[in-house]
Amino acid sequence: MAHTPPGVGRGRISGAFMFSGLIAAAGLLVYLGRADTTHALSYAGRLAGGLLVLAGLVALTAAACVAVDRFLGHGTKYTTAIILFGALAVLGAGLMLLAIQLEEYTHWLWVWLGLIAWSGWALWDLLHRRQAWREITFRRNFAAIASATALITVANFVYTQIYTPYASPMTVVISAKIGTIRKDKDTTYVPLTFQLENSGKVAAWVVGASYSLTGVNWKSTYQPFRTVKEWKADVDNEGLSDLEAFADKPELFTVSLGLLLAPFDYKLDPGEKYIQEKTVELPSKAYRAVQVQSEAYLLRKDRMLQDAPVQEYHSWSGTGEKAPAWVTNSIGVPADSAYVRYSVPVSYSNQVLNFTRKRRHLTLWWMLGTEDTSPLTPLAASLVSDGEDKEPSYSESQQELDKYGFSYMNTGGAMAVL
């Protein structure tokens, strides 16, 4: 019975491990990159996808060379170089994916570590055990090709993961104006104009946009002016930052509020304006002045994408679930305020981020207040990991929110005397 030398058996085992590792890495890298080459939301993401596909194809070619070299015994200096290049490509891809993964933990971390560990073994087997470097007679050209490939990969990584998230800022302006007020015997007509304008170069998803019109009265006016002592009381007891010499603090009551756009349903392209006009009717002599304001939450179109239909929940139906404390506190309404909640899962701009980041969802809260109190700013929103429902500034660092282009803006208040 023939006896197989121990070295030959080990060589076949290492060859099988080399072949299977290259096949597995090729399948994974092509799978990751293929979707991004056609569906990534930015050209940089598509370029990164193309590099992953290229690395996968190199690994696949290297696997074919392993079969020729280790199993058929027809290897040459070129098959050795291709196998070495394939192992380096897997190592580079694994390091790049690990660098992206380090910002957040997902189970795919172990896959990237597996790629790095396997490629480390493969390089040790090729360079130490088999002395593959000596078989390559064109070492300078090989080193030049490997260095150029590494430089392109690193440059793409820096561009897509570091530079791009902070370049080309999203520039959207929101405004609210009160037009010429008309009156008749019983009714006052207040015309309102709202505008969202994208003056930048980056498209934006409007997560939610709202307005509120507030009627303003003063409790009483005084002929002698109010003293600093009374101002101190206003600051201590009321927390006021606007102090009046001849009037008490203003009383505010929201007389009209609403959504300017359906949540998660409008894309504002560069150079585009969205304008909406309304007329609110009020009883004559009900208020001394009116104040209008609007607000919006935005998301960069090239960073995230809506991943499913919007889920809508009304607090007065179903279980009667209360809004989170951070929502009611930030808007300044009681804990039992009525609200409508809109929620939708989102996906990232490319497949690599979908694998290296936790799943997230957007939630928009449209607050309606109670019978006795109404919100002046009715919207709150969060972009958080699945399973969380926290205030955005607590669940995400501002740097992370800027990466996704999740931002808030408002007009302040425009006032007109009636």
Side-chain angles (χ1 to χ4, degrees):
M1 182 167 140
H3 176 69
T4 302
V8 175
R10 286 196 299 269
R12 289 178 178 175
I13 293 174
S14 65
F17 190 48
M18 182 79 69
F19 178 81
S20 60
L22 286 167
I23 289 294
L28 176 62
L29 296 177
V30 171
Y31 172 75
L32 277 176
R34 183 180 57 83
D36 285 344
T37 55
T38 55
H39 295 103
L41 297 182
S42 66
Y43 290 111
R46 296 186 180 189
L47 177 59
L51 289 175
L52 285 176
V53 170
L54 181 60
L57 294 177
V58 169
L60 185 62
T61 305
C65 290
V66 169
V68 171
D69 185 30
R70 301 287 181 96
F71 303 137
L72 300 179
H74 298 308
T76 67
K77 60 183 180 180
Y78 297 107
T79 57
T80 301
I82 293 172
I83 295 170
L84 180 57
F85 196 73
L88 289 171
V90 174
L91 176 63
L95 290 173
M96 183 186 74
L97 292 167
L98 179 63
I100 300 172
Q101 181 72 77
L102 289 178
E103 294 189 24
E104 270 185 19
Y105 171 79
T106 69
H107 295 311
W108 285 92
L109 169 67
W110 303 105
V111 176
W112 320 141
L113 290 175
L115 287 178
I116 294 171
W118 175 88
S119 56
W121 168 86
L123 291 173
W124 174 84
D125 181 73
L126 289 166
L127 298 176
H128 179 71
R129 290 185 66 248
R130 297 180 59 84
Q131 300 294 309
W133 189 246
R134 295 181 180 179
E135 298 180 24
I136 303 173
T137 58
F138 49 95
R139 289 190 283 271
R140 286 188 178 179
N141 292 336
F142 180 88
I145 293 172
S147 299
T149 303
L151 183 61
I152 293 172
T153 303
V154 170
N156 177 73
F157 170 76
V158 171
Y159 180 77
T160 57
Q161 302 301 322
I162 298 176
Y163 174 75
T164 301
Y166 306 104
S168 301
M170 183 173 61
T171 308
V172 177
V173 179
I174 185 172
S175 63
K177 297 180 181 179
I178 300 175
T180 302
I181 297 173
R182 297 184 297 107
K183 293 184 178 182
D184 59 26
K185 181 179 179 181
D186 300 316
T187 306
T188 298
Y189 303 91
V190 183
L192 306 173
T193 301
F194 305 98
Q195 178 174 295
L196 280 165
E197 180 180 3
N198 189 343
S199 58
K201 299 179 180 180
V202 178
W205 287 109
V206 181
V207 175
S210 72
Y211 77 94
S212 63
L213 181 68
T214 305
V216 184
N217 273 328
W218 287 264
K219 283 185 177 179
S220 57
T221 56
Y222 302 90
Q223 293 303 318
F225 62 84
R226 304 178 73 235
T227 64
V228 173
K229 181 179 180 180
E230 292 171 306
W231 282 355
K232 291 178 181 178
D234 288 343
V235 172
D236 290 337
N237 300 330
E238 306 292 345
L240 298 182
S241 57
D242 292 325
L243 305 174
E244 301 288 343
F246 295 99
D248 281 338
K249 68 171 185 175
E251 292 181 331
L252 307 177
F253 185 79
T254 302
V255 295
S256 179
L257 77 163
L259 298 179
L260 297 173
L261 292 161
F264 317 120
D265 194 40
Y266 192 83
K267 180 186 71 172
L268 197 65
D269 288 319
E272 182 181 357
K273 292 182 182 180
Y274 173 83
I275 299 174
Q276 187 174 144
E277 296 180 343
K278 296 178 178 291
T279 298
V280 178
E281 298 183 9
L282 301 174
S284 294
K285 299 182 181 180
Y287 299 98
R288 298 189 185 185
V290 288
Q291 177 177 296
V292 66
Q293 58 187 19
S294 60
E295 58 182 339
Y297 284 92
L298 304 171
L299 189 68
R300 285 181 68 120
K301 181 182 177 294
D302 61 351
R303 300 289 165 77
M304 278 191 163
L305 190 64
Q306 182 176 327
D307 209 25
V310 178
Q311 295 181 345
E312 184 175 334
Y313 173 81
H314 297 186
S315 63
W316 53 89
S317 62
T319 60
E321 175 186 350
K322 291 185 178 181
W326 72 263
V327 173
T328 54
N329 291 340
S330 64
I331 294 177
V333 292
D336 58 346
S337 295
Y339 65 86
V340 181
R341 182 183 67 213
Y342 305 90
S343 183
V344 65
V346 290
S347 60
Y348 298 97
S349 60
N350 58 66
Q351 189 78 329
V352 171
L353 289 180
N354 285 327
F355 277 75
T356 57
R357 295 290 181 269
K358 296 177 182 177
R359 299 288 296 175
R360 282 176 166 77
H361 64 271
L362 273 168
T363 303
L364 180 72
W365 307 81
W366 180 32
M367 303 303 296
L368 305 180
T370 65
E371 296 294 335
D372 301 319
T373 60
S374 297
L376 301 180
T377 56
L379 291 186
S382 62
L383 172 64
V384 295
S385 302
D386 287 355
E388 294 184 1
D389 199 4
K390 301 177 182 178
E391 185 173 4
S393 59
Y394 293 160
S395 62
E396 303 276 5
S397 69
Q398 190 58 48
Q399 187 177 16
E400 280 297 298
L401 293 177
D402 289 343
K403 271 188 180 181
Y404 307 131
F406 181 67
S407 58
Y408 169 78
M409 59 181 58
N410 63 53
T411 60
M415 184 175 287
V417 178
L418 298 181

